[in-house]
Amino acid sequence: MTSTDRVLVLIGAGSAVFTRGLLADLIGADDLGSWEIRLVDVDPVALDVATRLAQAMVEARGVGETIRVTRSTDRRAVLAGADFVVTCVGVGGRPAWQRDHEIVQRHGIHQPVGDSIMPGGISRLLRTTPVLVEIARDIAELAPEAFFFNYSNPMTANVQAIHQETGLDVVGLCHGMHHIQRELAQLIDVPFERTSTLYAGINHLTFIYDFRLDGRDAWPLIRERVDRELGEAPDPADIGNIFYDTPTAWHNPFAWELFRRYGAFAAAGDRHVVEFFPERFAGGDYYGKKLGVDAFSLPEILEWGEDRYQGMKRQALGQEPLDRSIFERSGGEQEQLIAIIRSITFDSRAMFSCNVVNRGLVPGLPDWSAVEIPGVATARGIRPIEVPDLGKPLTAILARRLSSVDIAVEAALTGDRDLVVEAMIADGAVVDVDRAAALTDDLLAEQARFLPRFA
């Protein structure tokens, strides 16, 4: 390593999909100079796969002089000197996520994701948020000047808790807003670069209330397309479909229903948004399908993720050739990160969607809550932009959804089982105390090895 190298520490690097995408983007960023990428994960096997894959990518592109990859299972050993720290931690991985899904469904609750809210999201919060807080304490001690970005879900809870417990200005990143703006542009058949948005919300429930094409209001064009498509019978394959190339209105009928009422489209689309309105989908019924089963099937996503991981593992171990298409267009969750680093490096002040602590940026929401709003990436970090005109109805929806987050964060940090029950009730997916208690106890028992505070 030379004195001119910059250092990026990636904690949770065993998420090989994220690591691969980040390295692909960085390899293509010739203007950003030399880097040392320090990969960290507590799982030595997953870390070995991610490291081997990263090193194979560096070798394949002949960039060993400018990108050096190292690894460690001990984050404290590698945090000092970091310029950027990125967390993408998933405590328990896909198996824990699968068990959340099965237990919640056994209790009669259907959710298609379970990474942000509802009982599955609360369970993820209990095992992930305390770990992120401990990581943040180490960053505050060993790399307090580093730019700190988090990708771990539940994003809203994690950003709130990290700032609350450490004072660090962590920025949460998610590609959901970027993805939805791209879909809106596709719906009116125009290039993404000619569109712009104004929005505010919380991660996975962010309301785009202004959408423009070349500076002019583009909602009339959207309404024409959406009204026409929703006026026709849907192709059943469009309902609850996770994977598609060309969006139609029937891919997100609930979000368009909200749009008709409130004049704003909810990112990141129905797969996530329905979880914030559990009272409207009793029994999981969703436009003739069942949430989490044949509509936005979580097992399908988990299988897809496992297949991708196994493919990357074979490439890392040299059992298959390296997939070089990743260098052409990596996409995925990490897609904003290199652009943000570039904007910070050259102070070009580009704008991105960011999850940050509110502090009055969205009036009517608690100062301590994490909100998803536009932010400008400057040489001094992300400068979020105030959003004063979201309006009372949408603000009220967001405020209601934040109440369970506050209770669940307190429960996670204190190990208070009774507060978990209260968080379940405040969330709204289950309102009977006995049902909430039984569900809570099943989740705590199943995930006990990841919940030392509840021992």
Side-chain angles (χ1 to χ4, degrees):
M1 177 179 172
T2 69
S3 59
T4 57
D5 287 349
R6 281 187 293 174
V7 174
L8 186 150
V9 178
L10 177 58
I11 301 175
S15 172
V17 176
F18 187 96
T19 302
R20 182 180 71 166
L22 172 62
L23 260 294
D25 288 350
L26 192 57
I27 286 169
D30 298 335
D31 56 330
L32 291 179
S34 300
W35 289 85
E36 181 184 4
I37 308 299
R38 301 174 182 172
L39 304 181
V40 179
D41 203 284
V42 295
D43 180 344
V45 175
L47 179 61
D48 183 61
V49 169
T51 306
R52 286 171 179 257
L53 183 64
Q55 291 171 337
M57 293 171 67
V58 169
E59 182 178 343
R61 300 297 281 194
V63 293
E65 292 295 312
T66 55
I67 297 178
R68 188 161 74 91
V69 178
T70 61
R71 66 179 174 184
S72 177
T73 55
D74 178 8
R75 63 179 180 265
R76 290 184 59 85
V78 298
L79 275 170
D83 297 291
F84 298 87
V85 180
V86 180
T87 45
C88 54
V89 174
V91 178
R94 281 185 291 273
W97 193 2
Q98 175 73 30
R99 291 301 293 140
D100 281 346
H101 173 73
E102 292 168 355
I103 290 169
V104 166
Q105 202 166 91
R106 194 166 69 230
H107 281 260
I109 298 165
H110 290 78
Q111 57 181 128
V113 190
D115 67 355
S116 299
I117 205 158
M118 291 182 68
I122 292 172
S123 181
R124 180 184 288 239
L125 185 161
L126 297 178
R127 63 180 181 270
T128 304
T129 300
V131 172
L132 264 293
V133 168
E134 292 303 316
I135 291 171
R137 288 194 174 116
D138 287 343
I139 296 169
E141 176 189 346
L142 299 168
E145 300 303 315
F147 296 104
F148 180 12
F149 299 102
N150 172 64
Y151 282 87
S152 299
N153 286 316
M155 181 68 75
T156 304
N158 289 337
V159 171
Q160 173 180 324
I162 287 169
H163 185 267
Q164 171 187 307
E165 297 298 309
T166 70
L168 288 179
D169 284 325
V170 61
V171 175
L173 298 178
C174 171
H175 72 164
M177 252 301 306
H178 185 80
H179 175 71
I180 290 298
Q181 183 179 341
R182 191 171 295 280
E183 287 205 358
L184 292 176
Q186 285 180 278
L187 280 173
I188 56 174
D189 196 27
V190 299
F192 169 82
E193 291 73 21
R194 290 174 57 193
T195 65
S196 58
T197 54
L198 287 173
Y199 52 89
I202 57 180
N203 186 232
H204 294 152
L205 183 65
T206 294
F207 292 105
I208 303 172
Y209 62 91
D210 188 278
F211 176 61
R212 293 180 182 266
L213 171 64
D214 299 330
R216 296 185 177 182
D217 182 11
W219 283 138
L221 299 174
I222 289 284
R223 283 192 181 92
E224 181 183 351
R225 165 84 181 259
V226 169
D227 288 347
R228 182 176 73 250
E229 290 190 355
L230 293 182
E232 301 169 354
D235 179 345
D238 284 346
I239 303 295
N241 184 7
I242 301 170
F243 304 105
Y244 54 85
D245 295 320
T246 305
T248 72
W250 279 108
H251 284 128
N252 296 293
F254 178 61
W256 289 118
E257 181 184 328
L258 293 177
F259 175 79
R260 284 171 163 170
R261 293 177 182 168
Y262 295 103
F265 187 82
D270 276 16
R271 178 170 167 257
H272 285 287
V273 170
V274 295
E275 295 194 328
F276 292 84
F277 299 85
E279 70 283 354
R280 304 196 190 201
F281 299 95
D285 295 323
Y286 172 83
Y287 301 94
K289 293 189 177 182
K290 191 71 79 172
L291 288 169
V293 182
D294 55 351
F296 309 117
S297 166
L298 182 59
E300 182 182 351
I301 278 285
L302 293 172
E303 183 180 358
W304 173 78
E306 182 63 21
D307 286 347
R308 286 185 79 192
Y309 175 75
Q310 291 300 331
M312 284 184 285
K313 184 177 181 179
R314 290 190 294 272
Q315 293 172 40
L317 298 177
Q319 297 166 355
E320 286 183 7
L322 188 68
D323 178 8
R324 292 174 180 264
S325 68
I326 188 68
F327 297 115
E328 308 306 319
R329 172 64 186 146
S330 62
E333 285 287 353
Q334 84 296 329
E335 63 187 338
Q336 285 193 102
L337 184 57
I338 298 302
I340 290 173
I341 291 174
R342 180 176 289 111
S343 187
I344 288 173
T345 300
F346 301 110
D347 200 29
S348 48
R349 309 199 175 193
M351 192 174 295
F352 304 90
S353 61
C354 305
N355 290 266
V356 294
V357 176
N358 187 24
R359 293 183 251 189
L361 295 164
V362 182
L365 298 181
D367 283 350
W368 61 82
S369 294
V371 292
E372 189 165 71
I373 54 177
V376 179
T378 78
R380 300 186 68 166
I382 297 290
R383 290 292 182 266
I385 293 176
E386 183 179 2
V387 185
D389 52 353
L390 182 63
K392 288 182 179 178
L394 296 178
T395 302
I397 291 172
L398 295 169
R400 180 170 69 98
R401 298 314 309 165
L402 285 167
S403 62
S404 63
V405 175
D406 287 346
I407 300 170
V409 166
E410 186 71 14
L413 297 179
T414 60
D416 189 326
R417 174 262 187 194
D418 290 343
L419 280 183
V420 180
V421 177
E422 289 300 313
M424 295 284 181
I425 294 169
D427 171 82
V430 51
V431 294
D432 178 81
V433 175
D434 291 337
R435 282 189 65 206
L439 174 56
T440 294
D441 289 340
D442 278 359
L443 287 168
L444 292 179
E446 176 60 35
Q447 308 288 11
R449 64 192 179 282
F450 304 118
L451 302 172
R453 284 170 172 77
F454 290 87

